[in-house]
Amino acid sequence: MLKMIVKRILQLIPVLLITMTITFVITRVLPGNPAVTILGPQASPEAIEAMEEEMGLNDPMPIQYLNYIKGIVTGDLGTSYRYNQPVAELLLDKLPNTLSLAMTSLIIALVIGIPVGILSAIKQYSIFDYVAMFLALVGVSMPAFWLGLMLVLVFSVNLGWLPTMGMGSLANGFGDVLIHLILPAFCLSTGSMANFARISRSSMLEVIDQDYMKAVRAKGIRETVVIMKHGFKNALPPIVTVLGMRIAALMTGAIMIEQIFNWPGIGRLIVDAINNNDFELIQGTVLFMAILYVFVNLLVDIAYLYLNPKVNYESERRAG
């Protein structure tokens, strides 16, 4: 297994390098001049040129790229033009807010999606199954930004039950943070909830009538124990794979949700960076999200190898 993990890590290095290169090129071809953004449109050409020289924007592209890579290798993600702070500090400051939103939505999706999928498999072709899968299809298809706006309209504007914007403050008690978290977390969780329900149902259907399941039932063991201890355990690998993809998707999907609900996380940070042509902040946030994405996928690969050792054995045999 160690050999496979090392191989996976080495495969991730080119992915990160390609991501850094594409991000660098895109930030340089985007319209707008960060020097003008900093100084304002009324700045003189001489002041703008001096600012460009100070920011290194007058250097040839290959030199800028090498300086960018050198900074990343030494752990320096640069300094934000807009905030005049190190990009790493800004990311670490906003990361807990985004993580709290993403992890809460993941918990909601797991707690609701997986049990619904298991029940749908047990009650295949029942009314519950049809309704659950129809709602799952709606959840997968529904745009998150539209759902977010509808939730705000109904629960905040019309009913006045929940706050519209921000994340509250711990100074006002944990309940204030929790009540601000309900709408954005639920909105972000709908797609994942639907995906977990669908994959849990299909995975359980593959194992629910297997011979070993019938043998366990023949011993007189309760059906609940049979389903959860024997069936669900063998249905886990596909669910774990989807789990990894959804964690990364939740982190990136939080960008849109944070804009709708004015949530002070990394999503809002990167949108502000794009609006202000903040090259350093754009590059830093994209690289950070890419590292997070590949790290989560690495953990999923490790979990999959643990849950299904046959994959590890077959991979090593082919390599040999």
Side-chain angles (χ1 to χ4, degrees), residues 56 70 72 85 93 110 162 250 289:
K70 188 187 302 181
I72 291 174
Q85 285 183 256
D93 181 54
L110 289 171
L162 297 168
L250 287 172
M289 298 299 279

Side-chain angles (χ1 to χ4, degrees), residues 31 38 43 52 56 62 80 124 140 142 147 174 201 221 250 264 281 284 299 312:
I38 294 171
E52 289 177 340
S80 168
Q124 188 181 15
V140 170
M142 192 173 4
L147 177 61
F174 181 72
R201 179 183 184 274
I221 299 175
L250 287 172
L281 188 52
L299 292 180
N312 183 32

